[in-house]
DNA sequence: TAAATTGGTTTGATGTTCAAACTAAATTAC
DNA sequence: GTAATTTAGTTTGAACATCAAACCAATTTA
């Protein structure tokens, strides 16, 4: 009640901090378990994040994807190689520039992408469950605050 | 405006999903960089999470901490060993039960714990920056929603 | 007191990552 | 227009985190 703006009670801090931390761990764990029990049991969470980065339609280059995921090019090469072996990803040789290889998902890869996306949609839906437009706005605002804060640190 | 309860627009989904994902990556990255530039440059993000789990005061057993972090006992043993070598953690032999070792932070470890906690406090503060008590309640509600949803999945 | 359980460590293997050396293609400079 | 430089991606060798399984020692149960 007597909460001051920009000043947060110890209890609120504890709650929000723990929630933010726990939620993330929890999501990762569920992603892992869900994958294990699905048709895609040969895929790890790290691998699905690579599949997500490759996306459905834009044929990004290896370097682009590596930068996005903040992996070295060497690491990306090996990761792509195993996903190619498992049948989720295809390399395409760029016609213009023969040095670059572009990455794309196979049908199996696209299927997995969509399943993963659906799971995330559920998460977001549950996040704002029962809220009206105004309340959703508050959540969005909080996320923008946080993104701004984080960007400021790194500038 | 014409937002229906429990139904989320494609744009809102995109925004929230990306924000949730990006925010987490970003926090990890900043934690890593901050550590690199600090007095604690010999500590990784994973190590700080172990230090956080050991906490300031309760002398948890190795098994307790392992379960909390969902690591095997073997993994915990090796992780604790390096943190002990680096001077952040101490083992204590339990007087009652001579099989158990309890974990505690050295002064250096406590210092790091507090620095890390302060960083998290900043994050939470920025998250609810400029919001009144009511708006904070909305955020808390969203986090509870999410936690419930995730718990339901695993039951 | 013998057998089973529990807490923790050690060991050997696997997976992820990196930095650095490398190859091939494209661009720039002379 | 060739030589030097840069760029895109791969390969290689090492480091680290993790796990499962075997193990040891202390405690509990039968």
């Amino acid at each position: 009640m007597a909460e001051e703006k920009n000043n947060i009670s110890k209890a609120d801090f504890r709650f929000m901090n723990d929630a933010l931390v726990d939620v993330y761990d929890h999501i990762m764990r569920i992603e892992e378990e869900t994958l294990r029990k699905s048709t895609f049991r040969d895929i790890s969470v790290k691998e699905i994040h690579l599949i997500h980065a490759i996306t459905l339609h834009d044929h990004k280059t290896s370097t682009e994807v590596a930068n996005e995921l903040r992996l070295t090019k060497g690491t990306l090469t090996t990761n792509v190689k195993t996903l190619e072996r498992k049948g989720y990803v295809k390399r395409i040789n760029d016609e213009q520039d023969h040095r670059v290889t572009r990455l794309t998902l196979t049908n199996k890869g696209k299927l997995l992408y969509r399943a993963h996306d659906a799971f995330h949609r559920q998460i977001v839906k549950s996040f704002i469950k029962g809220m009206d437009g105004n309340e959703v706005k508050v959540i969005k605002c909080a996320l923008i605050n946080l993104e701004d804060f984080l960007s400021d640190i790194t500038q």
Side-chain angles (χ1 to χ4, degrees), chain A:
Chain A
M1 294 281 104
E3 216 61 80
E4 252 215 316
K5 274 196 186 190
N6 275 335
N7 205 357
I8 177 171
S9 77
K10 235 177 184 132
D12 274 357
F13 165 64
R14 255 310 126 226
F15 171 78
M16 290 224 200
N17 190 46
D18 291 356
L20 285 168
V21 172
D22 291 352
V23 151
Y24 216 79
D25 274 16
H26 209 150
I27 290 176
M28 289 296 170
R29 222 163 56 239
I30 291 176
E31 281 192 343
E32 188 74 52
E33 283 164 18
T34 309
L35 283 167
R36 281 292 143 274
K37 289 182 209 139
S38 75
T39 344
F40 308 110
R41 70 178 67 60
D42 61 339
I43 290 293
S44 72
V45 168
K46 300 208 170 181
E47 287 174 318
I48 203 142
H49 289 160
L50 172 49
I51 285 172
H52 184 256
I54 290 172
T55 72
L56 285 181
H57 302 302
D58 15 296
H59 300 260
K60 299 180 192 168
T61 67
S62 286
T63 305
E64 279 167 354
V65 174
N67 289 340
E68 229 174 90
L69 296 177
R70 285 158 222 269
L71 297 173
T72 61
K73 296 179 295 170
T75 300
L76 199 80
T77 297
T78 59
N79 291 352
V80 165
K81 216 188 295 181
T82 69
L83 280 182
E84 206 176 14
R85 179 170 47 72
K86 291 180 183 174
Y88 292 90
V89 170
K90 255 190 323 227
R91 278 180 171 78
I92 308 175
N93 294 325
D94 190 297
E95 286 306 312
Q96 258 67 70
D97 186 335
H98 287 225
R99 290 169 307 177
V100 328
T101 53
R102 297 186 171 274
L103 302 176
T104 182
L105 299 178
T106 62
N107 285 338
K108 195 171 155 197
K110 284 178 185 162
L111 214 60
L112 176 50
Y113 181 100
R114 293 210 182 84
H116 181 245
D117 209 53
F119 174 65
H120 272 254
R121 183 174 295 272
Q122 272 192 301
I123 288 175
V124 172
K125 236 172 112 177
S126 77
F127 191 47
I128 58 166
K129 180 177 156 196
M131 292 190 177
D132 61 31
N134 233 358
E135 289 167 327
V136 171
K137 232 179 251 170
V138 173
I139 307 285
K140 280 170 75 174
C141 185
L143 286 170
I144 291 170
N145 277 349
L146 193 43
E147 288 194 318
D148 286 352
F149 168 72
L150 296 171
S151 301
D152 281 357
I153 293 179
T154 29
Q155 14 61 26

